[in-house]
Amino acid sequence: MKLLTFGFLLFSTGLFAQKQTVFAYMDYNNFFRSFKDGYFNQVDHQAVTGLLHGDEVIAYYNNQRDFKIYDGTFSRVMTNQPATFKISDHMAAWNIGQLLFYYENGKPHNMTSFGGDYWVSDSLITFQDTRYNSLNVVYQGKISTLVQSTTDLPAPVVQGDNLLVFKDNGDIYKVFYRGQIFDLGTYNGTDYEFFAGTDILGFNDPQTRTFAVFQDGEFLDVEEFRVPKVKAGRGFLAYEDLQGNLKFYGKGKYETLSSFAQFWDAKDDLIVWGDANRTYQYFKGEKKDVANFVVKEWQLKNDVVAFRTLMGGVGASIGGTYKEITTINDTEFLINGHGVMVTLPNRAVMVLYNGQIYRD
């Protein structure tokens, strides 16, 4: 049962959003505690450092500087040697000198004993191997070489949740996506701006002066002119055109969301913007009100937008449903999974999850 649960929590591709919501924090006694799916638990009786949250992976150093990973149920020591780590929502990687390791499906794995720099996203880990002067990628438990250089160590140009752009030895841009490599073909140049998300890549082409997209293994032009601002989400792009209109593009669908956006942001499954002194969101093809004012401080993740209210408290919209969490000022808030955790000045916490507020 333990192995089945662990495998479910850490599905390797990171393409399917899990329902788990887990937070970790230090309480007023300096104990390390967690919240998972409606329940608070004690993780450690001593303070921790370097705490980083991912949807399925929480990583930290314990009091003895051991590097540990907590999945909401179990906390495991990855190494008791001095290590540096990076995480995403579903994977983690760390190095002990040149030794590189990664964590996936509940288990640690070795990448190389001759490691350089490395980059971690939801479904991919790219890393440099100094022995072969190569750039490699870990995808679904398999390590593949992208390019081997005879000069400098290669690095990804840009990396999204499940795709990345790199250059081969001929200085040609290529896309790694779901285990395959796609040549950008005629889209070759030296002055590219790439915007990588999940299953989608946008870029301003310096040769044709168009705004183009890579999706489902195909390249096509989205706008006839370059665009000044772009953000990539899960299967869509949000962008401003030259007239300042805020637009949505995904899988052949175009939509103008606002012609007078006072601000806008996009991440994962959401686009939010201010218009006519109100704040709106675009989620699953539907536009909804978020607040009757323009928010000034906000966070986005998955299907959640959390923000500071006019009174200085914290409110959030999860899956399109709004709820005020607290009216108390001077709080900190954090999104993880499909919930929001608010830390009060006295270090007590409140968590909005599944439409309810939990307190510890």
Side-chain angles (χ1 to χ4, degrees), residues 193-236:
E193 298 173 86
F194 291 105
F195 311 93
T198 304
D199 297 323
I200 196 165
L201 172 75
F203 57 97
N204 284 315
D205 190 316
Q207 294 184 3
T208 64
R209 308 296 293 177
T210 59
F211 177 56
V213 65
F214 168 85
Q215 191 168 36
D216 297 329
E218 297 181 349
F219 296 91
L220 59 92
D221 288 336
V222 174
E223 294 282 342
E224 294 182 356
F225 302 97
R226 296 166 63 99
V227 298
K229 183 178 179 181
V230 187
K231 291 200 173 184
R234 290 180 177 143
F236 73 87

Side-chain angles (χ1 to χ4, degrees), residues 138-176:
V138 180
Y139 176 70
Q140 293 188 336
K142 180 182 177 181
I143 297 177
S144 303
T145 298
L146 298 176
V147 60
Q148 188 171 353
S149 174
T150 56
T151 55
D152 299 330
L153 271 171
V157 176
V158 67
Q159 182 166 321
D161 288 340
N162 67 339
L163 55 76
L164 67 94
V165 178
F166 66 97
K167 282 186 176 183
D168 67 10
N169 285 317
D171 210 32
I172 305 299
Y173 289 104
K174 295 181 180 291
V175 180
F176 177 89

